Amino acid sequence: KGGHIANVASVAGLGPSPRMVDYGASKHAVVGFSRGLQYEHDCCGITNVKVTTIFPHLMNTGMFNNCSVKLSRVFPSIEPDYAADQIILAIEEEREEMMIPKHLEKFFVFQYIFGTKMFRRLSEIFGNFDYMKTFQNIRKS
């Protein structure tokens, strides 16, 4: 017997953005939990339960409809069906982590190579400081 745990975090859990610190912190907690659980499995010799952490970019679910992305070709909004397919693929391939879209992995490498101050500057250049400026909380009654 065994199983597979797939936790959906967000790229915001790896590199926070202004005006959404609470969201980024909650997604960072998912990342920490998932990575910690993987360590726990390794330490205890648990091989029959796998853990995958998913890092999608902005999803077209309506949550971020009023946000503007400066470089939408580099940082595209993700369709839920595409994300679901990628999550299934990650589970089937027993990946520990899956960035959606995959090319964003290259962007986050900068954070580890150059440090957080340089990463914040790069984020500002790419428009990460601005996309939540147009956000309007729309609550359904």
Side-chain angles (χ1 to χ4, degrees):
K1 293 185 177 188
H4 201 115
I5 300 166
N7 292 320
V8 179
S10 168
V11 295
L14 297 175
S17 298
R19 300 174 186 87
M20 54 185 289
V21 173
D22 51 349
Y23 180 81
S26 69
K27 295 304 182 175
H28 187 74
V30 173
V31 175
F33 173 75
S34 299
R35 289 178 177 172
L37 192 56
Q38 192 62 261
Y39 273 77
E40 193 83 13
H41 285 182
D42 291 348
C43 174
C44 298
I46 299 169
T47 58
N48 62 333
V49 178
K50 307 297 181 191
V51 179
T52 299
T53 311
I54 308 298
F55 299 95
H57 190 251
L58 295 176
M59 298 276 293
N60 284 331
T61 60
M63 183 173 170
F64 295 104
N65 277 352
N66 297 317
C67 298
S68 59
V69 177
K70 183 177 182 179
L71 301 171
S72 59
R73 287 187 160 197
V74 178
F75 304 105
S77 295
I78 306 301
E79 293 300 326
D81 288 345
Y82 176 75
D85 290 342
Q86 293 301 298
I87 292 167
I88 291 168
L89 178 66
I91 292 169
E92 289 173 347
E93 294 180 353
E94 296 185 354
R95 295 187 194 183
E96 289 187 11
E97 298 184 342
M98 163 74 83
M99 188 85 59
I100 305 173
K102 185 169 178 45
H103 73 270
L104 289 183
E105 291 173 352
K106 296 175 185 97
F107 181 72
F108 284 95
V109 167
F110 285 102
Q111 183 174 8
Y112 297 102
I113 293 173
F114 298 110
T116 56
K117 186 173 183 176
M118 182 61 80
F119 183 75
R120 283 195 311 273
R121 179 68 182 121
L122 185 62
S123 293
E124 181 181 13
I125 291 166
F126 281 123
N128 192 28
F129 282 18
D130 297 327
Y131 75 81
M132 288 298 288
K133 279 185 177 178
T134 57
F135 177 75
Q136 296 174 3
N137 188 5
I138 301 170
R139 296 180 187 258
K140 294 182 179 179
S141 299

